[in-house]
Amino acid sequence: METILIVDPADPRLDDYRDLKEHERRLRLEPARSCVIVEGHVPIGVLLDTGRPVRSLLLLERERARLADRLATLAAPVYLAPPEVIDAVAGFSVHRGALASADRWALPPLAEVLAGARTVVVLEAAVDLTNVGAVARSARALGADALLLCPRCADPLGRRAGRVS
């Protein structure tokens, strides 16, 4: 794990995390950059458990300490920054103090999702990221085997969807 202190919000290494509050811009930017942003130490832990390629982490020191064991073998850079820098980059107060950027993955084909599934939750035109995340969390808690979203649904890999799921 390479730890790098960043004190300039304009540092280009933080571009994946820039303007997270600007929802419409993020809808275009994240798929175009092929990245997924994860917020909070618990969702970051889940991300690390998946083994998916992590690009970088942007953390407050307290969150780096909290995740230290999980980060020991991480090949991606860990950027440490004071709260005012993280907030300036993200465009809002990141009170959780932990963000990660990972390579976006392709969603599995329908046949693969449904293979062996007994309980399937279907969402149509659910455009609010928080609602998509809450449904995903509830579906998992209730033992659903699959979650299907129509093309008009909010991005299930969006930061706010992941934060509540």
Side-chain angles (χ1 to χ4, degrees):
M1 164 188 71
E2 179 185 10
T3 304
I4 302 163
L5 178 64
I6 296 185
V7 295
D8 180 4
D11 191 311
R13 293 174 289 186
L14 303 182
D15 284 350
D16 280 356
Y17 306 102
R18 200 159 310 286
D19 302 321
L20 294 178
K21 190 173 181 180
E22 294 183 24
H23 178 68
E24 293 301 319
R25 181 174 181 270
R26 298 304 301 186
L27 286 176
R28 292 185 310 276
L29 181 68
E30 289 179 24
R33 288 187 67 116
S34 192
C35 71
V36 172
I37 303 299
V38 179
E39 178 183 356
H41 73 275
V42 172
I44 289 173
V46 171
L47 171 66
L48 295 174
D49 288 343
T50 69
R52 295 191 185 281
V54 175
R55 295 176 180 209
S56 66
L57 284 94
L58 176 57
L59 306 172
L60 294 176
E61 174 55 37
R62 72 167 197 255
E63 297 303 316
R64 189 212 52 82
R66 181 184 292 202
L67 290 164
D69 292 344
R70 308 292 305 278
L71 301 177
T73 59
L74 186 67
V78 175
Y79 302 126
L80 296 179
E84 59 275 8
V85 170
I86 295 176
D87 294 352
V89 170
F92 65 96
S93 177
V94 183
H95 61 276
R96 288 177 176 84
L99 296 167
S101 176
D103 288 341
R104 181 173 279 267
W105 54 91
L107 297 176
L110 180 61
E112 184 180 320
V113 171
L114 295 177
R118 294 179 43 190
T119 305
V120 178
V121 174
V122 179
L123 285 178
E124 184 173 350
V127 296
D128 183 86
L129 286 167
T130 304
N131 288 344
V132 170
V135 169
R137 182 180 193 157
S138 298
R140 186 177 325 122
L142 294 171
D145 301 305
L147 175 63
L148 301 180
L149 294 92
C150 84
R152 294 186 318 273
C153 283
D155 181 5
L157 301 179
R159 175 187 62 85
R160 289 181 60 213
R163 188 180 70 211
V164 298
S165 66

